[in-house]
Amino acid sequence: MKAYYYTPETSDLAISKGYTIIRGVLERAGISVISKHESLEQALPENYKQVEQQGRSPLEYVDAIIIEGTDADSEVGYLLAYAIAQKKQALLLLRKGKRSRNPLTSFGRQSLKNLKVVYYDDTNAERLVITFLRTLGDISVKEAPTIKFTLRITPVIERFLHWKTHNTQMTKADYLRNMIEEAIEEDEEFQKYRRRSTEE
Amino acid sequence: MKSSSKKVLLLFGGGASLLDRSGKASEVQNAKDVHAWLRSIPELSLIASVKPMFLYSETSFDAYPKWWKTIAQTITERFKDYDGFIVTQDVDAIPYTAAALSLMLRDIGKPVIITGSSLQSHKSSKAGGSANELAEIGIRANLVNAVQVATLDIGEVAVLFGNRLIRGGNIIRHTTSSLNIFESAGDSVLGRVDFGLKIESNRKKRTNTPPMLSTNLKTRILQMTMIPSAVFPALPDLSAQKIDGIFITGHASFSSEALSRITSLAEKHKIPVGVFVESPIGYSKHFLVVSNMTPIMALTKFMWVLGQGASLFEMQKLLETDIAGELITPNTRRR
């Protein structure tokens, strides 16, 4: 899956940090990330000749456009307009607390079916990007564990974890996280709840 | 968003057919259609504040010069009020309009972007097929790209179609199933639609200089094509026809008998003769040599030069002067 990831020039460190977090999520999800710094030939080795010959926009050949548009420049408006015109899936991320205006407030729902606008900070950026990526298809991505949690366990559980993980690359914490993630995936009620809260 | 303060004037002169979301053809046929049409492309407002102005929807070939003047005058009158201008045109009209506006709006410091739809006008309500799908991709993308270009650092007349921005006076049309139905005759691709819109360093930069408006054209031109060893039919009665000029194309040999016959007859009626050759092969005191430009620009510039009311010598000088980057030098000529 290919995504064009656009970030305007900024001198704001918090916004720059957001750029890095978002790019990290995309890469961990196995997305082939194209940025403004790449040439057409580098970005689309299989399609660039077609782009030239048929007069098409290279954006037609990506699955999604992802924009961190807090410090918006004219390119942000252009990319959003392109996404609407060509019904391209797009995600506009705006950093919380930066007084950035959602440029799509006056648009009807119909125009925005393919366009998602979210406000993010360091704690939820990953979840928001992953949620969007999941709407594009079968994306397998794990959020980086960032929340510290102390858990007291019994000696039996400890012996069990040791038995399951020794001579493997996995840590005891990895094993527990995987078990919980499997439980999440299998829990239909929780999935419904999660979908509802995302739509809101 | 910073871009929202940019103001763009969108002039409708045909070529504004598009398919709406349900697949129905929608076009601007009169002034009443403009706002509904623009509402169907709300995304343009994300790039600039676009003010529409209806001029005409369809016109005959004969009426082109009248509309070129109107377009040029409209842009000049509103030059200070807008950051850029877009003119929609039928595909057939684009090369002529681009050539004419390049000359009429000499040294304009803001972008004048000509674009359009390759969708046929008066299309049946439900269009289909790959050609129309391609065209539909084209018009919306052309408009989005044109509005973006109209806000950028460029100061000249240019054509945007497919993924190329080409200097207005240098375009030639070619038969293709591609969206790039125009190409550059010289080294005058001014920009490309990449992941964003990239403008090249060879474009003229934006200034606040209004154009030197010069809309006079002599349009009653008798065009003749010269073929080696061809016998010319009798010339029409030049004075009765009120011919402004004779424009000769084809493989003109300057020493041919047919050319001498035409020029002496034209001289008797004080009618200038222009001979179009791709590269100059010499000059003559009997006729004007029009060279180093596309055939459409050559004819348009001949009409424009005749309209400047100059002497034959001054007209020849004007033909050799690069007014709007229309001259193609041997180094830049596309092979």
Side-chain angles (χ1 to χ4, degrees):
Chain A
M1 191 176 281
K2 288 192 185 82
Y4 180 63
Y5 176 42
Y6 182 74
T7 53
E9 297 297 324
T10 186
S11 52
D12 187 311
L13 292 177
I15 295 172
S16 291
K17 189 181 172 194
Y19 291 178
T20 311
I21 292 171
I22 295 161
R23 190 175 181 109
V25 180
L26 294 171
E27 285 172 349
R28 277 200 302 283
I31 304 289
S32 172
V33 183
I34 299 167
S35 74
K36 60 186 172 185
H37 304 296
E38 278 141 273
S39 71
L40 190 57
E41 212 168 315
Q42 287 170 325
L44 297 173
E46 290 146 18
N47 305 108
Y48 79 94
K49 280 189 182 156
Q50 218 174 343
V51 168
E52 278 292 313
Q53 285 162 3
Q54 295 197 353
R56 289 172 176 264
S57 163
L59 290 169
E60 283 181 50
Y61 296 89
V62 300
D63 300 289
I65 300 170
I66 294 164
I67 305 161
E68 204 295 10
T70 312
D71 212 352
D73 58 11
S74 70
E75 191 79 5
V76 171
Y78 169 71
L79 288 168
L80 291 172
Y82 180 90
I84 294 171
Q86 305 299 343
K87 299 171 188 157
K88 180 69 67 184
Q89 295 294 326
L91 174 67
L92 172 65
L93 293 122
L94 301 169
R95 194 159 183 94
K96 278 182 186 170
K98 288 288 176 186
R99 277 199 259 169
S100 45
R101 189 177 65 87
N102 175 359
L104 303 167
T105 43
S106 59
F107 280 69
R109 275 178 171 265
Q110 194 63 20
S111 327
L112 301 180
K113 267 185 176 171
N114 55 313
L115 231 151
K116 182 108 184 136
V117 185
V118 292
Y119 287 87
Y120 78 98
D121 56 29
D122 290 352
T123 62
N124 69 356
E126 191 149 357
R127 181 175 59 77
L128 293 168
V129 174
I130 290 166
T131 305
F132 171 74
L133 291 176
R134 283 189 172 131
T135 65
L136 302 178
D138 191 16
I139 290 285
S140 166
V141 60
K142 286 184 177 176
E143 291 179 65
T146 52
I147 299 167
K148 200 171 175 183
F149 188 80
T150 307
L151 175 69
R152 293 181 187 279
I153 54 174
T154 61
V156 174
I157 295 172
E158 156 59 17
R159 276 202 299 281
F160 173 73
L161 289 175
H162 177 75
W163 182 75
K164 289 300 270 187
T165 57
H166 81 279
N167 293 334
T168 71
Q169 298 290 317
M170 215 186 302
T171 63
K172 290 170 192 167
D174 285 337
Y175 182 80
L176 284 173
R177 276 192 291 266
N178 287 348
M179 276 181 71
I180 296 166
E181 276 169 4
E182 274 172 31
I184 290 171
E185 289 304 317
E186 285 164 13
D187 191 324
E188 286 179 13
E189 287 303 310
F190 179 73
Q191 294 301 337
K192 276 183 203 165
Y193 162 76
R194 190 157 77 164
R195 274 194 293 275
R196 271 200 308 275
S197 58
T198 310
E199 280 160 15
E200 281 158 15
Chain B
M1 196 169 287
K2 291 165 199 167
S3 60
S4 59
S5 58
K6 301 273 186 185
K7 289 168 78 180
V8 172
L9 181 62
L10 172 59
L11 297 167
F12 288 92
S17 303
L18 54 84
L19 298 182
D20 66 17
R21 306 277 174 197
S22 61
K24 281 186 182 168
S26 153
E27 58 187 293
V28 176
Q29 286 189 311
N30 54 55
K32 279 189 254 170
D33 298 334
V34 165
H35 285 96
W37 187 91
L38 206 56
R39 270 199 304 275
S40 70
I41 322 177
E43 55 269 29
L44 298 183
S45 67
L46 288 167
I47 306 171
S49 166
V50 178
K51 161 101 177 165
M53 182 184 280
F54 178 79
L55 296 176
Y56 60 93
S57 62
E58 284 180 57
T59 192
S60 69
F61 203 73
D62 302 345
Y64 281 1
K66 182 191 92 174
W67 286 115
W68 297 336
K69 286 182 192 182
T70 305
I71 295 167
Q73 279 163 352
T74 306
I75 290 171
T76 306
E77 283 160 14
R78 289 158 181 79
F79 181 80
K80 282 184 187 166
D81 304 330
Y82 294 92
D83 296 287
F85 304 86
I86 297 172
V87 183
T88 69
Q89 291 277 282
D90 285 333
V91 168
D92 293 337
I94 284 177
Y96 293 95
T97 305
L101 292 184
S102 299
L103 301 168
M104 289 177 167
L105 295 169
R106 190 176 179 177
D107 292 338
I108 189 163
K110 290 180 183 175
V112 176
I113 309 302
I114 301 165
T115 192
S117 165
S118 44
L119 268 181
Q120 296 274 310
S121 187
H122 296 308
K123 201 151 257 315
S124 59
S125 62
K126 196 83 180 172
S130 60
N132 278 324
E133 280 162 26
L134 199 64
E136 172 57 1
I137 289 168
I139 179 60
R140 285 184 186 270
N142 280 352
L143 283 164
V144 168
N145 290 327
V147 175
Q148 176 73 346
V149 174
T151 67
L152 298 178
D153 181 12
I154 173 167
E156 60 182 301
V157 176
V159 172
L160 192 140
F161 225 97
N163 61 15
R164 288 186 203 148
L165 178 71
I166 303 172
R167 180 164 286 140
N170 283 163
I171 63 163
I172 44 176
R173 188 171 173 182
H174 66 120
T175 315
T176 173
S177 58
S178 156
L179 290 168
N180 285 338
I181 58 176
F182 298 107
E183 63 177 304
S184 164
D187 181 21
S188 53
V189 172
L190 305 179
R192 288 174 200 279
V193 178
D194 205 317
F195 288 101
L197 236 153
K198 294 191 174 141
I199 49 174
E200 306 282 348
S201 57
N202 61 344
R203 96 285 189 194
K204 289 181 187 165
K205 290 190 175 183
R206 179 185 284 274
T207 65
N208 283 323
T209 314
M212 288 167 60
L213 183 67
S214 177
T215 58
N216 283 341
L217 294 176
K218 295 282 187 185
T219 56
R220 294 187 67 84
I221 305 295
L222 175 66
Q223 185 169 348
M224 305 175 90
T225 303
M226 205 175 247
I227 303 162
S229 77
V231 178
F232 269 93
L235 284 168
D237 184 344
L238 296 176
S239 52
Q241 299 274 328
K242 294 183 183 167
I243 298 293
D244 294 321
I246 300 173
F247 188 70
I248 297 174
T249 60
H251 299 281
S253 163
F254 286 9
S255 58
S256 85
E257 239 177 75
L259 185 57
S260 308
R261 197 160 61 86
I262 295 164
T263 50
S264 56
L265 191 63
E267 268 175 336
K268 209 156 60 176
H269 290 88
K270 295 185 177 163
I271 294 172
V273 176
V275 177
F276 173 59
V277 286
E278 272 206 6
S279 302
I281 50 172
Y283 293 96
S284 164
K285 60 181 179 181
H286 300 293
F287 53 84
L288 298 164
V289 177
V290 191
S291 61
N292 285 329
M293 54 190 108
T294 67
I296 287 177
M297 177 46 105
L299 175 60
T300 313
K301 192 168 180 182
F302 181 65
M303 293 195 286
W304 182 80
V305 163
L306 297 187
Q308 304 310 301
S311 68
L312 210 62
F313 175 76
E314 287 165 331
M315 283 196 266
Q316 183 65 60
K317 281 279 162 215
L318 267 178
L319 284 166
E320 291 166 35
T321 305
D322 199 4
I323 305 290
E326 75 279 12
L327 294 188
I328 307 159
T329 63
N331 290 339
T332 60
R333 192 180 296 280
R334 217 179 142 92
R335 298 286 175 197

